[in-house]
């Protein structure tokens, strides 16, 4: 069955499927893929603990895995169904672009992969499709899928790479700092112990740490995304916290040890997320790039040798101006087909 990836992108973008609420997109894809004869499986993924994840869902969540009945795929094309909030309404378009939440991250990629899979099936390539939930938060769907590998030799993961093959993707280290002190009247600071002062001192030293650099790949970067603490300007703060995200090249262990040393005696440290830096093989004839973001690839290690490729720009993902070029979307269908055929 010939697939129009532009039309399929429109249909998917019209469906609200922010993280934890992906089931409408999953049901649509499961029904859509059953029509051309795929054996479709829904892989249940649990919702997070509501006490630890405000805003988490309470309905069903599942990955969608599709393959021809009875075959073991050589290639699996995979990306994610969830989007960041907020939903931006129905898909909009002009002559050149589709606009809306998920157009490039990653519903346009789903459409390109489905269209490519149909071409590959017609060419006799044993191909599967894996669409997961939760990539935008914790790769929960990918982790469940990794417990149920299907024997594929290669995984082509889709994220917005401007139709270039990624040579590497940065790792991710999420750091939480918690400082504790003693509350007091600000006129008598000697009677208190400022948690904010401890936090700021620890942050100063952590931000001064040298981070790994790999020639030809780039440097690691750190973002202090959240700081909060205290109750009023005239009260010595007894609690303060900060949340950092480090995009790493190279292993995380040295950086973790340095952070623990810098925070010692001032803050408790929790490393709430660690995803490794990944380097990947390139193929002649494909333009290349370095993905400064993290993907589901580190959580899909049992699905074969990874490759990362997709249409659209990461620079407009997660923004109100998210869009994808129709031309680039169509070109990526052919790139997925070329890559898969080269690999097998």
């Amino acid at each position: 069955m010939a697939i129009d990836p532009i039309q399929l992108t429109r249909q998917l973008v019209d469906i609200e499927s922010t993280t934890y609420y992906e089931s409408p997109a999953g049901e649509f894809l499961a029904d859509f893929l059953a029509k051309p004869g795929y054996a479709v499986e829904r892989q249940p993924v649990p919702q997070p603990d509501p006490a630890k994840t405000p805003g988490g869902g309470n309905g069903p969540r599942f990955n969608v895995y599709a393959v021809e009945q009875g075959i073991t795929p050589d290639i699996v094309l995979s990306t994610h169904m969830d989007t960041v909030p907020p939903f931006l309404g129905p898909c909009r378009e002009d002559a050149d672009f589709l606009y809306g939440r998920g157009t490039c991250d990653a519903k346009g990629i789903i459409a390109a992969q489905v269209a490519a899979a149909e071409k590959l099936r017609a060419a006799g390539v044993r191909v599967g499709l894996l669409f997961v939930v939760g990539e935008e938060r914790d790769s929960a769907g990918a982790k469940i899928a990794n417990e149920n590998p299907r024997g594929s030799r290669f995984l082509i993961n889709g994220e917005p790479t401007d139709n270039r093959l990624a040579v590497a993707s940065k790792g991710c280290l999420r750091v939480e700092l918690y400082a504790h002190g003693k509350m007091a009247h600000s006129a008598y600071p000697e009677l208190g112990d400022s948690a904010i002062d401890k936090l700021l001192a620890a942050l100063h030293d952590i931000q001064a740490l040298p981070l790994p650099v790999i020639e030809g790949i780039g440097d690691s970067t750190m973002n202090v995304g959240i700081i909060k603490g205290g109750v009023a300007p005239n009260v010595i703060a007894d609690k303060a916290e900060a949340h950092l995200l480090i995009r790493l090249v190279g292993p995380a262990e040295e950086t973790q040890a340095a952070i623990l040393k810098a925070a010692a005696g001032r803050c408790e440290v929790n490393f709430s997320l660690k995803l490794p830096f990944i380097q990947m093989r390139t193929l002649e004839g494909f333009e290349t790039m370095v993905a400064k973001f993290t993907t589901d690839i580190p959580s899909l290690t049992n699905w074969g040798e990874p490759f990362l490729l997709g249409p659209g720009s990461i620079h407009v993902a997660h923004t109100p101006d998210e869009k994808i070029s129709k031309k680039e979307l169509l070109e990526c269908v052919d790139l997925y087909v070329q890559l898969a055929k080269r690999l097998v």
Side-chain angles (χ1 to χ4, degrees):
M1 182 174 75
I3 301 293
D4 178 353
I6 294 174
Q7 175 60 19
L8 181 53
T9 300
R10 292 189 197 105
Q11 291 174 282
L12 287 165
V13 171
D14 285 350
I15 300 170
E16 183 172 359
S17 60
T18 53
T19 308
Y20 309 127
Y21 302 91
E22 304 97 338
S23 62
E27 292 292 354
F28 172 86
L29 280 167
D31 293 342
F32 187 91
L33 293 170
K35 292 174 184 175
Y38 286 98
V40 178
E41 176 188 345
R42 295 166 173 82
Q43 298 178 342
V45 177
Q47 290 282 4
D49 181 348
K52 297 179 180 178
T53 310
N58 53 20
R61 301 176 81 195
F62 53 89
N63 301 328
V64 174
Y65 174 66
V67 70
E68 282 192 59
Q69 188 71 43
I71 74 161
T72 298
D74 290 315
I75 301 270
V76 169
L77 302 171
S78 179
T79 190
H80 57 96
M81 297 181 285
D82 64 315
T83 69
V84 296
F87 179 58
L88 300 178
C91 186
R92 297 168 288 110
E93 67 180 296
D94 56 27
D96 299 315
F97 290 93
L98 298 172
Y99 301 86
R101 181 63 76 224
T103 46
C104 73
D105 190 19
K107 291 179 176 180
I109 294 171
I110 292 175
Q113 291 185 341
V114 171
E118 281 301 283
K119 291 189 174 187
L120 289 167
R121 283 210 302 171
V125 176
R126 296 187 297 182
V127 61
L129 293 163
L130 175 66
F131 302 128
V132 300
V133 301
E135 189 273 345
E136 297 291 3
R137 290 299 297 267
D138 55 9
S139 292
K143 291 171 184 175
I144 292 294
N146 214 38
E147 298 172 2
N148 299 277
R150 300 308 161 89
S152 50
R153 295 189 292 137
F154 303 101
L155 174 79
I156 302 176
N157 190 242
E159 289 288 348
T161 67
D162 299 291
N163 279 353
R164 294 176 292 170
L165 196 60
V167 299
S169 66
K170 288 190 177 183
C172 181
L173 183 64
R174 190 178 297 160
V175 187
E176 299 169 0
L177 303 174
Y178 298 96
H180 302 279
K182 181 182 177 183
M183 195 177 290
H185 195 294
S186 66
Y188 301 90
E190 68 275 10
L191 299 180
D193 182 21
S194 174
I196 288 178
D197 286 350
K198 292 178 181 179
L199 179 68
L200 291 176
L203 277 174
H204 176 271
D205 291 349
I206 289 170
Q207 288 184 293
L209 292 173
L211 296 175
V213 177
I214 295 180
E215 187 176 353
I217 299 296
D219 56 356
S220 303
T221 59
M222 180 187 301
N223 178 57
V224 181
I226 299 173
I227 295 180
K228 57 184 178 180
V231 293
N234 59 347
V235 179
I236 303 297
D238 65 336
K239 294 179 182 178
E241 64 185 79
H243 298 241
L244 293 67
L245 190 66
I246 303 174
R247 303 285 182 175
L248 278 172
V249 298
E253 286 71 23
E254 282 189 23
T255 300
Q256 287 180 273
I259 291 171
L260 289 170
K261 184 177 180 181
R266 298 184 284 203
C267 296
E268 297 175 9
V269 181
N270 179 40
F271 298 107
S272 57
L273 178 67
K274 183 170 72 171
L275 296 171
F277 166 69
I278 300 288
Q279 287 187 277
M280 291 164 279
R281 179 161 60 104
T282 60
L283 294 176
E284 187 177 348
F286 287 84
E287 291 186 60
T288 60
M289 57 87 74
V290 174
K292 295 184 179 182
F293 50 88
T294 305
T295 73
D296 272 332
I297 285 175
S299 300
L300 290 169
T301 53
N302 293 327
W303 285 75
E305 181 185 359
F307 293 83
L308 180 62
L309 173 71
S313 169
I314 196 69
H315 296 157
V316 297
H318 300 191
T319 76
D321 303 314
E322 186 172 349
K323 64 181 180 179
I324 195 166
S325 159
K326 295 177 183 179
K327 179 175 180 288
E328 193 173 330
L329 184 62
L330 296 173
E331 288 172 348
C332 195
V333 175
D334 293 331
L335 287 172
Y336 281 139
V337 171
Q338 291 171 33
L339 178 57
K341 287 183 175 179
R342 288 273 294 278
L343 292 174
V344 299

